[in-house]
Amino acid sequence: MDGTEVLIARLTDGLQPVKRLPPPGLRATLWLGLVTLLGAAFIYGFSDIATFTHRASDPRLALELIGTLLTGILAVIAAFQLSMPDRPLRWALLPVPTFVLWLASSGYSCWRQWLVHGPGGWAAGESAHCFLWIVGFGVPLAISLFVLLRKAHPLAPGPVAAMAGLGVASLAAFLLQFFHPFDVTFVDLGMHLAAVATIIVLARAAAQRGLDAGRSR
Amino acid sequence: MTASSAEEWGHLMAAAQAGDGSAYARLLREILPYVRGIARRHHSSPDRVEDVVQDVLLTIHRVRHTYDPSRPFSAWLGAIAHRRSIDAVRRKVRTSAAETFSPIAYETYADPSANKEISAHEDSAVLTEAIAALPPGQRQAVELLRLKEMSLAEASEASGQSVGALKVSLHRAIRALKRTLGGRVDE
């Protein structure tokens, strides 16, 4: 018997039933639902909702919020889809349009700041805070997401981790808006993007061992 | 692969998910030509093709819970086979980058101790005999973990031994080989 036949015999001997993984869309919805509940409780308990409502009435900020939130949701859905072996890589394009919307609306706000305040539009607002906030919320969210994603043992952990990182960082950035009662400057926006990039890099670095649990070489 | 065979394979995989070992064995044997075909597109060496095929079988086993019977089996299997073939190409490129081809290394020298290649062959024969003389459990641990370079999880899956038992078997095997070969075995 050759090596492949021996392997087949070993794999099939005493085979145990396995629990089929629920569809990725359902798993993404459950995770997003849980995060929504926790986020809503946090916002209700700690944020200044009146100030936020007043700011959100500005259509430009509303667009930015929609772009940030949808980027988070769509990137998480893309991560769950990509974790399955037979899903094409083009799922990674899902959050691109909303990410562009987020960047464009934020960039426009920065430009307005610069026009109104001149060089002051380049000043760092609460940049360091923002960075720590996004990373501080993003990392625990990423860990909880990884726990679910690793159940599929993704064949290509890199893109899955990148989507998961973009998703949690965007959701953290969306939450930040409830505690961020001022328009962003270019430096603030740069810091937001640096935080998103940091989460994505951390997620990708953790992916090789953390996501593909059955494969250690 | 025909449409009917792909559909049949989907049924067999669904049965395998429910614990039907004979359906699973039939499936794994039937997909071999298809998987070999994909592996051959990326690799010319028959040994490497067979390595990829075995890697694909192990991956299928590990991710068999991700197959959804309402979706085409061919796409699921094809994605796994392509991915593992490409992984093997990447491993080969990495290994090749770390190796240097030197024709002069094949020369032999008057000084017997300089003829490392020949002595390596002799060492290899002695080592093969020493491994063959090990008890079955220890021999399997050496074969899977050292010769086939499987991870502990993969070796455990392939052998049915627990990770702990594999570690103990490997440790005992290395000790036995050291005794036989006079300390010429690396951990």
Side-chain angles (χ1 to χ4, degrees), chain A residues 2-4, chain B residues 36 39-40 42-55 88 91-92 148:
Chain A
D2 67 12
T4 305
Chain B
R36 280 197 187 105
R40 279 195 197 107
H42 300 274
H43 305 276
S44 53
S45 149
D47 284 348
R48 201 173 290 278
V49 167
E50 218 47 34
D51 280 350
V52 171
V53 168
Q54 292 183 14
D55 201 9
R91 272 202 302 275
K92 187 182 163 195
K148 291 191 174 175

Side-chain angles (χ1 to χ4, degrees), chain A residues 131-208:
Chain A
F131 183 88
L132 290 176
W133 173 285
I134 293 174
V135 173
F137 273 86
V139 168
L141 286 177
I143 291 170
S144 69
L145 191 54
F146 268 42
V147 169
L148 292 181
L149 289 171
R150 79 198 294 268
K151 286 182 189 295
H153 301 315
L155 297 182
V160 177
M163 284 297 108
L166 176 63
V168 296
S170 305
L171 292 174
F174 175 74
L175 197 60
L176 170 68
Q177 291 289 354
F178 288 85
F179 303 87
H180 196 281
F182 44 83
D183 289 335
V184 289
T185 64
F186 279 115
V187 177
D188 291 333
L189 176 60
M191 218 40 131
H192 289 190
L193 294 178
V196 172
T198 302
I199 296 273
I200 292 174
V201 168
L202 286 175
R204 280 193 65 113
Q208 292 301 333

Side-chain angles (χ1 to χ4, degrees), chain A residues 4 10 18 20-21 151 216, chain B residues 17 50 65 91 140 151 158:
Chain A
T4 305
R10 283 179 183 156
V18 286
R20 209 171 281 148
L21 211 57
K151 286 182 189 295
S216 56
Chain B
Q17 287 177 324
E50 218 47 34
H65 62 298
R91 272 202 302 275
Q140 191 180 39
S151 67

